[in-house]
Amino acid sequence: SLCTFSWLSLAMMWLLSFFASIVSFGNYGVAIILLVLLVRLVLHPLTKKSQVSMMRMQKLSPQMQKLKEKYGDDKNALNREMMKLYKEQGASPLLGCLPLFLQMPIWIALFTGLNASVELRHAAFLPVWITDLSAPDALATLPWDLPWVGSTFNLLPILLAIAMFVQQKFTPQSAQAGAGSDQAQQTQKMMKYLFPGMLLVFFYQAPSGLTLYIMASTLAGVLDQYFVRKHIRQREAEESARQTTVPVPGKAARDKRPKKPKGPFWIKKG
């Protein structure tokens, strides 16, 4: 039961029923969006910490490049110095992926609940689109049957792939990728297109309620990242503005004093 997240699935279904009956007037699509907001609110402290860590790692690219040039032939020494640099700067590569990993059990639980819940069978979100949250949205019927696609055109998974691509564009680049080789940077650039494409394939035939949840969570994550990064930049700008240089009274050092102009008949003595 613990490994299959059945307890979490029951909790998700209870929350959806609560939101649908109390807040969203029986609309389970709105209840799913409210569930997204609740989960995002709970994970916001961790998401903020993750964004701070990733922005710090982004600023470590020049130092990472120097470490790579110095310990390029010794992988163990390079990893040791990288971990030491992360610890000194308060950054962690694992924090960037932790919010996503924490939501994966919720996705599995919601997928199980959508397939098993009787209340969500033929539960509609919009009058003409997403009329059954336990099935694909099926906006139109295709004249042919394709592998992995079927005979329906599902718009929601395409919107999910676009939302995931936008989120990756907003995600700061890690210091390792910025200081890495051209091949590593090219691989990361390719993953920005490959990962949304994989989601499109995996969720094309998934229940529209699950796809709606992940898409709404992704868009909420984009907004969360935007405001968190904006707040961090404002705080850094305020700290930079408070750091002013105050001149010390008295004579300056000899090498800092302005040189006196020399006349046409100047002769060096001694």
Side-chain angles (χ1 to χ4, degrees), residues 67 74 177-178 231 256:
L67 290 177
D74 191 347
H231 173 71
K256 300 297 182 180

Side-chain angles (χ1 to χ4, degrees), residues 59-73 77-78 81-82 85 175-176 178-180:
K59 295 179 180 179
L60 295 179
S61 295
Q63 301 180 50
M64 295 289 295
Q65 183 64 36
K66 293 180 180 179
L67 290 177
K68 185 179 179 181
E69 294 174 357
K70 185 177 180 180
Y71 302 100
D73 298 332
L78 178 60
E81 293 298 324
M82 285 169 49
L85 180 62
Q176 290 182 345

Side-chain angles (χ1 to χ4, degrees), residues 120-197:
L120 289 174
R121 299 289 175 88
H122 306 293
F125 174 43
L126 299 174
V128 295
W129 182 42
I130 313 181
T131 56
D132 187 355
L133 291 169
S134 63
D137 57 293
L139 183 62
T141 303
L142 300 176
W144 55 81
D145 193 351
L146 299 176
W148 291 94
V149 175
S151 59
T152 59
F153 173 72
N154 305 328
L155 178 61
L156 198 57
I158 299 176
L159 298 179
L160 170 62
I162 295 174
M164 186 60 66
F165 177 77
V166 172
Q167 185 188 45
Q168 293 196 9
K169 295 289 287 185
F170 272 87
T171 302
Q173 186 183 22
S174 65
Q176 290 182 345
S181 61
D182 295 337
Q183 183 178 1
Q185 296 181 11
Q186 188 67 23
T187 301
Q188 187 183 37
K189 184 178 180 180
M190 183 178 62
M191 286 300 298
K192 291 183 178 181
Y193 298 92
L194 183 61
F195 186 62

